[in-house]
């Protein structure tokens, strides 16, 4: 592409900062502005703008990368911003993706914008691996394991939004016995959600808050914790900063199956990430390139990673 793709970022948390870093590694892209709800003057970055001024950039940005949380930000922000811009988001509440898709698709078709939702690595890259495995090995089972002491941004964000919580981190821990059972071959075991993962939370509560209430709200939160064994640990802010400042994550997608003659087959896709937000950001940036190309070809509405030809992700020519 002869002209650089003009990118905007909405939200400047860990993911937004990761997108800024990723754009530096892509020579065909240019960061135009970063939109925040905070006071732009307090952030010491010349590209900072207040989100109230986003409409001023309607014809100046090709793709807006939305870096808010899935719990409350993206369900509102993506359809609203899609009225003016092509967008990419990382909406990761799996159960609500169909609703989010319909809301965004309606706006995109009305306004002529193209909007890719639920990018990142799960949903996103892991979704692609699941559909590849199921298509190639139609007789078999698919297994997804997350973590290995991995920090989930979406789940951590959901904890922090509970009334009375100052800060928090959530680790997803795969149950090793279940993973090894899948890899051992010879069987396609069935697991409940609870048998595959443990969720471990470290929470900093405001002084005087009802810790039992907070713990109960975490453990019963639908779509996040209610189907898992969840461990909640209340710690000080100093402990959180000292022992839980990193953002590692990763996981596995496995498809086990057999051919018509009974030959056993296994496909395994693995991610090991020192920085979950920086990796997720890199995925969003690659898909922003695809959105720009596909919009140039006349496409609009809502799409997912399933709708993007792999060549569209690359800056290289066919």
């Amino acid at each position: 592409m002869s002209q650089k793709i003009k990118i905007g970022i909405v939200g400047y948390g860990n993911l937004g900062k990761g997108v800024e870093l990723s754009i530096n590694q892509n020579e065909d892209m240019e960061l135009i502005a970063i939109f925040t709800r905070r006071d732009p003057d307090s952030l010491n970055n010349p590209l900072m703008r207040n989100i109230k001024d986003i409409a001023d950039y309607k014809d100046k940005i090709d793709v807006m990368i939305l870096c808010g949380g899935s719990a409350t930000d993206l369900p509102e922000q993506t359809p609203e911003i899609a009225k003016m811009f092509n967008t990419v988001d990382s909406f990761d509440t799996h159960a609500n993706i169909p609703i989010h898709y319909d809301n965004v698709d309606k706006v995109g078709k009305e306004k002529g914008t193209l909007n890719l939702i639920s990018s990142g690595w799960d949903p996103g890259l892991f979704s692609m691996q699941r559909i590849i495995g199921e298509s190639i090995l139609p007789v078999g089972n698919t297994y997804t394991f997350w973590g290995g002491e991995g920090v989930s941004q979406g789940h951590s964000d959901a904890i922090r939004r509970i009334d009375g919580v100052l800060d928090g981190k959530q680790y997803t821990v795969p149950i090793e016995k279940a993973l090894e059972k899948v890899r051992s071959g010879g069987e396609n075991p069935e697991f409940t959600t609870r048998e595959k993962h443990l969720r471990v939370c470290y929470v900093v509560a405001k002084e005087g808050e009802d810790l039992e209430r907070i713990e109960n709200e975490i453990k019963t939160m639908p779509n996040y914790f209610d189907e898992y064994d969840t461990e909640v640990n209340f710690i000080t802010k100093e402990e959180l900063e000292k022992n839980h400042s990193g953002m590692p994550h990763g996981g596995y997608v496995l498809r086990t199956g057999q051919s018509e003659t009974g030959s056993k087959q296994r496909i395994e896709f693995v991610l090991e990430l020192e920085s979950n937000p920086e990796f997720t950001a890199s995925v969003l940036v690659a898909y922003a390139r695809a959105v720009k190309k596909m919009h140039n070809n006349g496409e609009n509405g809502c799409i997912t990673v399933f709708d993007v030809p792999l060549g569209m992700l690359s800056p290289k020519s066919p």
Side-chain angles (χ1 to χ4, degrees):
M1 300 177 73
S2 56
Q3 289 190 325
K4 290 193 174 187
I5 303 169
K6 296 177 172 58
I7 302 291
I9 299 172
V10 177
Y12 200 58
N14 291 318
L15 186 57
K17 291 171 184 174
V19 170
E20 182 181 25
L21 294 171
S22 181
I23 290 170
N24 293 337
Q25 295 184 316
N26 289 271
E27 295 181 358
D28 63 332
M29 295 188 175
E30 178 185 3
L31 180 57
I32 301 299
I34 303 167
F35 298 92
T36 177
R37 287 178 290 218
R38 288 176 280 177
D39 176 9
D41 295 334
S42 69
L43 296 171
N44 196 30
N45 185 323
L47 296 179
M48 287 292 173
R49 302 290 184 270
N50 192 289
I51 197 166
K52 293 177 183 176
D53 300 325
I54 197 168
D56 297 344
Y57 287 78
K58 187 174 184 301
D59 299 315
K60 301 174 184 176
I61 286 172
D62 296 315
V63 184
M64 198 72 79
I65 299 179
L66 311 183
C67 300
S70 297
T72 57
D73 293 332
L74 296 178
E76 294 183 5
Q77 285 183 352
T78 305
E80 191 63 31
I81 293 171
K83 293 176 182 177
M84 299 177 282
F85 301 94
N86 301 320
T87 66
V88 174
D89 80 18
S90 61
F91 184 79
D92 67 355
T93 308
H94 292 248
N96 294 337
I97 288 174
I99 297 169
H100 189 54
Y101 181 97
D102 288 343
N103 291 339
V104 176
D105 191 51
K106 181 181 178 183
V107 171
K109 284 177 176 166
E110 285 177 357
K111 301 297 183 180
T113 61
L114 184 62
N115 307 281
L116 186 137
I117 64 163
S118 301
S119 182
W121 58 272
D122 198 8
L125 300 186
F126 273 18
S127 312
M128 292 170 60
Q129 296 304 318
R130 285 190 282 263
I131 207 168
I132 288 170
E134 290 164 10
S135 302
I136 293 170
L137 298 176
V139 177
N141 287 55
T142 300
Y143 304 91
T144 305
F145 293 87
W146 302 275
E149 292 287 327
V151 175
S152 169
Q153 294 179 93
H155 287 72
S156 298
D157 179 65
I159 290 172
R160 290 191 289 267
R161 290 173 185 269
I162 291 174
D163 187 42
V165 171
L166 281 175
D167 206 348
K169 282 277 182 77
Q170 187 260 303
Y171 294 86
T172 304
V173 183
I175 296 173
E176 197 66 31
K177 187 189 297 183
L179 182 56
E180 287 309 314
K181 198 170 184 180
V182 174
R183 285 176 168 160
S184 64
E187 57 181 317
N188 290 314
E190 299 285 347
F191 299 112
T192 65
T193 300
R194 204 172 296 276
E195 289 172 329
K196 290 172 61 185
H197 296 92
L198 174 69
R199 296 202 181 277
V200 181
C201 309
Y202 293 92
V203 181
V204 180
K206 294 178 182 175
E207 190 173 347
E209 288 292 334
D210 183 346
L211 303 187
E212 190 173 323
R213 173 191 60 79
I214 293 172
E215 180 172 353
N216 183 62
E217 282 193 41
I218 293 172
K219 289 183 173 181
T220 59
M221 190 184 297
N223 302 322
Y224 284 89
F225 297 100
D226 62 334
E227 295 183 358
Y228 299 85
D229 286 335
T230 301
E231 177 186 306
V232 178
N233 303 281
F234 290 98
I235 60 175
T236 65
K237 188 155 186 67
E238 290 73 25
E239 285 179 275
L240 189 77
E241 291 171 354
K242 180 181 177 183
N243 300 323
H244 305 282
S245 59
M247 296 291 283
H249 215 328
Y252 314 82
V253 176
L254 304 97
R255 176 72 176 177
T256 60
Q258 59 184 42
S259 67
E260 184 64 16
T261 64
S263 300
K264 292 181 173 57
Q265 326 279 12
R266 175 165 59 88
I267 302 170
E268 182 169 347
F269 180 73
V270 181
L271 288 180
E272 296 180 356
L273 313 176
E274 280 194 8
S275 173
N276 181 8
E278 289 179 13
F279 183 83
T280 301
S282 295
V283 180
L284 268 62
V285 167
Y287 276 96
R289 177 184 293 113
V291 165
K292 169 61 175 169
K293 290 181 182 180
M294 294 170 73
H295 187 252
N296 285 352
N297 291 342
E299 297 195 38
N300 57 45
C302 186
I303 58 174
T304 72
V305 296
F306 296 145
D307 304 307
V308 178
L310 289 179
M312 292 287 186
L313 297 173
S314 174
K316 298 178 180 179
S317 69

